[in-house]
Amino acid sequence: MQSRTIRLRLSQGLHARVAVRVVKVASRFTSKVVLVVGERRASARSLMAMLMLAAAMGATVRLETEGPDEREALEAVAAILAPGPGR
């Protein structure tokens, strides 16, 4: 299992457009990809589940991946949630 903690710097937090990109990218991998905000967990393959996290700008999100391509999945989804240098 791989995990990474990310602080959302997206001005609108985890909004629909970003969540759709996460779903598309996570669906390319066979590994399980989960986002955790506080006590709430959401599959990165479920748009509604991610939106229900209500992760605003500045929220801390733990990204967890598990499976044969977990490292690649982690890097790909992290690049969407924390774009640019200093992820």
Side-chain angles (χ1 to χ4, degrees):
M1 182 164 124
Q2 301 277 325
S3 69
R4 179 178 298 169
T5 301
I6 298 168
R7 184 174 202 101
L8 284 181
R9 293 180 292 164
L10 304 166
S11 63
Q12 296 178 346
L14 184 58
H15 58 88
R17 277 176 276 153
V18 172
V20 166
R21 289 178 49 212
V22 170
V23 169
K24 287 180 181 180
V25 168
S27 296
R28 294 189 330 221
F29 299 96
T30 58
S31 292
K32 179 179 176 182
V33 182
V34 175
L35 279 68
V36 182
V37 177
E39 300 288 321
R40 296 170 296 189
R41 301 174 63 84
S43 168
R45 291 189 174 109
S46 171
L47 176 63
M48 290 305 296
M50 281 194 295
L51 293 176
M52 293 297 289
L53 292 174
M57 181 180 177
T60 300
V61 177
R62 190 172 70 246
L63 177 58
E64 299 175 351
T65 57
E66 185 173 2
D69 52 2
E70 62 190 23
R71 175 49 103 189
E72 295 85 359
L74 180 83
E75 294 298 330
V77 174
I80 296 169
L81 296 177
R87 281 187 275 203

